[in-house]
Amino acid sequence: MKAKNFLVLLISMSLLSGCMQHTSVEENAIIQMAGYDKGENKRIRGTMLIPQYGSSESKSATSEVYLTANGDGVKEVEKEIQKQSSKPISIGKLSVTLYSKELAEGGISDIIDILSRDPRMSRNMYLGIVDGEAIDLIESQYPQEDTTYKQLEDLIKNNARFNFPMTNLHDFLYSYYAQGMDAFLPLITKKEANVELSGLAFFKGGTVVSTIPDSNVFTYKMLNENFKRGMQNIPYKDGTIMLDNIGSSVEYELKNGLGEPKFDIRVNIKAEVNEMVGVDREANPSLMKELEEVSVEFFETNANELIQMFKEKEIDPLGLGNFAKTRKRDFDLTKWKDNYSDLKVNVKVNVEITEYGIFS
């Protein structure tokens, strides 16, 4: 009886495994990077990167093929791309998707809706806004040995360990759909033979409405999340100091009712000064105290300017509205938006420098 049951189980497993779809790099065109630009006549131009492998999936890609097509939407672009491919295209391993700033400034709500509903899309996929055209960034040759898609994937992933906040598809969709919160993505720029993260692009709904340079990204990240690592260059008299973050933490406190809400944002930073350029001072405790005060003034000024810009653009990438929603039963999103521009936010930064003393 046991042998019979085992045989039935074995046959069932064989039938189930036969129904599973297997994606082979030899039989399919595996798209691992896609970029979208503004096309003519309100259409979208999509470019897809397909690595070319050897006889085994375990081997490294030896080259890359780029296919470009125009369509009224991303699904039509995918259909037109398929017409150019001798193999069935597969987007299940798509690791990076880019949108030109021009396209995103015109609104990409329809594209975001498809991203959220397509079960083939990995929630770990990275997204980015290109300051320029996505096709130029994808089709360019770079000096690194990695393939283009791998270089872009590692670029975003690595910088999220330092100054830039994490922005994969899961994080983006959460911010996009949550009440009282707006999304953001890294801004990517091609400079000569290299590509770099040059800032952040902020959304209002599905439209990019503002950007900040990379020099302000650390300040945004310290307001938005707890993190370690990252560096910030701070002006000091006729020189500069480089602050190396050991650990930064942030706390929000909502005061008063929703009629006249007030936020206190407290940031605590522990850091080392690993370089001081043009500082004609002997390293001593009094200098360290002065550097802490200069750092506090720098961060508080930048933070207040960022928050003022958010209020002027009517965007909430810090999720203050979402924070209020979780703590006030009578939260009303419409009233919150109406009063957001008058929201009082007090930012208090504390900087503790634990080590210093490198001059140049």
Side-chain angles (χ1 to χ4, degrees):
M1 186 66 179
K2 290 183 178 180
K4 183 178 179 180
N5 290 338
F6 177 76
L7 181 60
V8 172
L9 178 62
L10 185 63
I11 293 173
S12 299
M13 291 176 63
S14 299
L15 290 173
L16 286 172
S17 63
C19 295
M20 294 176 64
Q21 292 184 345
H22 297 279
T23 302
S24 168
V25 296
E26 299 173 5
E27 300 173 355
N28 295 269
I30 310 295
I31 296 171
Q32 293 193 304
M33 185 174 180
Y36 298 95
D37 295 300
K38 187 175 181 180
E40 296 180 355
N41 300 320
K42 298 182 179 180
R43 306 190 85 200
I44 296 173
R45 180 181 63 193
T47 303
M48 299 188 180
L49 181 153
I50 304 171
Q52 301 299 293
Y53 294 89
S55 58
S56 172
E57 188 173 358
S58 63
K59 293 185 177 180
S60 300
T62 56
S63 62
E64 295 172 332
V65 170
Y66 316 104
L67 300 179
T68 300
N70 292 278
D72 292 330
V74 293
K75 288 297 184 182
E76 185 175 355
V77 168
E78 185 179 334
K79 183 188 73 173
E80 294 299 318
I81 291 288
Q82 179 62 78
K83 292 179 182 179
Q84 303 176 37
S85 176
S86 60
K87 301 176 182 179
I89 64 172
S90 171
I91 64 172
K93 292 188 177 181
L94 187 61
S95 60
V96 180
T97 300
L98 305 174
Y99 308 96
S100 72
K101 183 182 174 186
E102 182 183 18
L103 178 66
E105 286 176 338
I108 55 173
S109 296
D110 292 343
I111 298 176
I112 296 171
D113 181 59
I114 291 173
L115 282 174
S116 67
R117 292 186 292 107
D118 195 332
R120 300 173 298 172
M121 298 292 186
S122 168
R123 288 305 188 257
N124 293 321
M125 176 177 65
Y126 293 104
L127 308 175
I129 301 297
V130 178
D131 191 2
E133 293 198 324
I135 187 173
D136 292 338
L137 193 147
I138 292 174
E139 294 187 351
S140 295
Q141 300 297 317
Y142 301 102
Q144 287 86 344
E145 295 182 0
D146 285 336
T147 55
T148 301
Y149 84 87
K150 186 62 176 173
Q151 181 178 344
L152 265 294
E153 180 184 41
D154 289 346
L155 177 72
I156 298 173
K157 184 190 303 183
N158 179 60
N159 278 277
R161 300 189 183 104
F162 296 93
N163 283 28
F164 280 76
M166 176 61 73
T167 50
N168 59 22
L169 179 59
H170 172 81
D171 297 321
F172 176 79
L173 291 178
Y174 178 83
S175 299
Y176 179 78
Y177 285 110
Q179 284 193 349
M181 185 181 294
D182 289 296
F184 62 88
L185 287 176
L187 189 64
I188 304 172
T189 302
K190 183 179 181 297
K191 290 192 174 181
E192 298 179 354
N194 294 303
V195 60
E196 65 179 34
L197 298 192
S198 55
L200 292 177
F202 295 102
F203 284 75
K204 182 178 182 180
T207 304
V208 167
V209 296
S210 186
T211 62
I212 60 172
D214 66 303
S215 57
N216 287 341
V217 172
F218 185 102
T219 301
Y220 171 74
K221 188 171 183 177
M222 78 173 195
L223 293 172
N224 191 54
E225 61 184 82
N226 301 334
F227 71 108
K228 298 179 180 179
R229 299 184 176 182
M231 293 185 289
Q232 179 64 55
N233 197 43
I234 297 176
Y236 175 68
K237 295 187 176 180
D238 295 329
T240 59
I241 64 173
M242 181 62 72
L243 215 61
D244 193 349
N245 178 38
I246 299 174
S248 174
S249 62
V250 60
E251 293 181 354
Y252 293 173
E253 183 180 359
L254 176 60
K255 296 183 176 180
N256 303 336
L258 292 176
E260 294 184 2
K262 176 184 177 182
F263 265 94
D264 281 350
I265 300 179
R266 292 183 291 272
V267 178
N268 288 291
I269 300 174
K270 284 189 177 182
E272 298 176 351
V273 175
N274 57 24
E275 185 177 42
M276 294 186 278
V277 179
V279 179
D280 188 18
R281 290 275 301 277
E282 180 182 350
N284 55 55
S286 64
L287 174 60
M288 182 170 67
K289 184 66 175 177
E290 189 174 336
L291 295 180
E292 289 175 343
E293 293 172 354
V294 168
S295 300
V296 166
E297 182 181 1
F298 173 86
F299 285 124
E300 289 185 349
T301 299
N302 277 14
N304 287 322
E305 290 176 354
L306 269 181
I307 292 170
Q308 182 60 34
M309 183 270 285
F310 294 156
K311 292 194 290 185
E312 290 174 357
K313 296 292 183 179
E314 298 180 338
I315 56 176
D316 190 1
L318 293 176
L320 300 180
N322 189 260
F323 183 90
K325 177 179 178 292
T326 61
R327 284 155 177 79
K328 298 292 183 180
R329 292 183 178 180
D330 58 341
F331 179 83
D332 185 296
L333 183 61
T334 301
K335 290 182 179 179
W336 174 265
K337 289 182 177 180
D338 290 341
N339 298 325
Y340 180 67
S341 61
D342 297 321
L343 179 66
K344 293 181 174 60
V345 181
N346 176 48
V347 178
K348 180 65 176 178
V349 179
N350 176 64
V351 176
E352 179 186 352
I353 296 177
T354 61
E355 189 173 329
Y356 64 96
I358 301 177
F359 293 79
S360 62

